[in-house]
Amino acid sequence: MTLDTIDLKMLALLQKEGRLSNQQLAERVALSPSACLRRLRALEDSGVILGYQAIVDPARTGQPFEAIVHVSLDQSQPGWHEAFVAHLADWPEVREASIVTGASNYILQVRTADLQAFSGFVVDKLNRVHGVREICSHIVMRKIKTPGQPSPRG
């Protein structure tokens, strides 16, 4: 699908305000509601728009502690990747996981209630995975830019 300037404007608006009604979106991109809806459905059907979600405040849901964890695995073990990915599916503490290049194989975004719970996750779950060679954790002190939130100035 080739995106034109109207499609790009619609996407930018929806990324900032995902709850815009079709009428509001149509007004902001200067289209009729029916034309806007056709374009929106085309963006959804083609996979440009993957879905819609709420941005939740982790502190208000009991998960204010965040760490970015780099994990290196022993790649000589058969099925090392599949086994690790299977563990990830069972760990609610892991909010995001990426396969990366460089010194580690994976980067995980981990959320827990506090440092003690995070320590328990690392010791009792992550460190017990067969083939884990190295774990390097970075504690997030403060978020300065997040999806759905305005960037701070200064």
Side-chain angles (χ1 to χ4, degrees):
M1 172 176 200
T2 303
L3 304 178
D4 63 17
T5 55
I6 294 174
D7 294 326
L8 294 172
K9 187 172 182 181
M10 288 173 63
L11 292 170
L13 287 165
L14 288 170
Q15 285 179 303
K16 288 181 184 175
E17 298 177 68
R19 293 187 70 178
L20 284 174
S21 68
N22 183 62
Q23 179 68 39
Q24 293 168 319
L25 185 59
E27 289 171 4
R28 293 191 188 181
V29 296
L31 287 175
S32 70
S34 60
C36 183
L37 187 58
R38 276 194 303 276
R39 282 177 175 261
L40 185 59
R41 293 282 152 76
L43 291 167
E44 293 169 348
D45 292 343
S46 68
V48 173
I49 295 177
L50 297 175
Y52 301 88
Q53 65 186 23
I55 298 171
V56 177
D57 182 349
R60 293 178 188 246
T61 59
Q63 304 284 299
F65 186 88
E66 181 180 5
I68 305 302
V69 182
H70 295 241
V71 181
S72 299
L73 297 178
D74 178 1
Q75 297 179 28
S76 68
Q77 302 293 320
W80 63 274
H81 171 72
E82 294 78 9
F84 188 73
V85 170
H87 283 290
L88 290 175
D90 293 334
W91 295 335
E93 300 90 343
V94 178
R95 299 300 173 92
E96 292 184 26
S98 301
I99 299 170
V100 296
T101 61
S104 57
N105 303 109
Y106 303 92
I107 296 178
L108 313 178
Q109 178 199 36
V110 178
R111 283 221 172 253
T112 61
D114 52 29
L115 179 59
Q116 183 177 358
F118 174 72
S119 178
F121 166 76
V122 171
V123 171
D124 298 331
K125 293 182 180 179
L126 188 56
N127 206 34
R128 291 188 181 186
V129 173
H130 184 69
V132 169
R133 193 177 71 223
E134 187 175 334
I135 299 168
C136 178
S137 300
H138 303 272
I139 307 305
V140 175
M141 295 170 39
R142 178 177 50 155
K143 290 280 196 179
I144 55 174
K145 185 175 181 181
T146 61
Q149 301 295 320
S151 297
R153 303 283 180 219

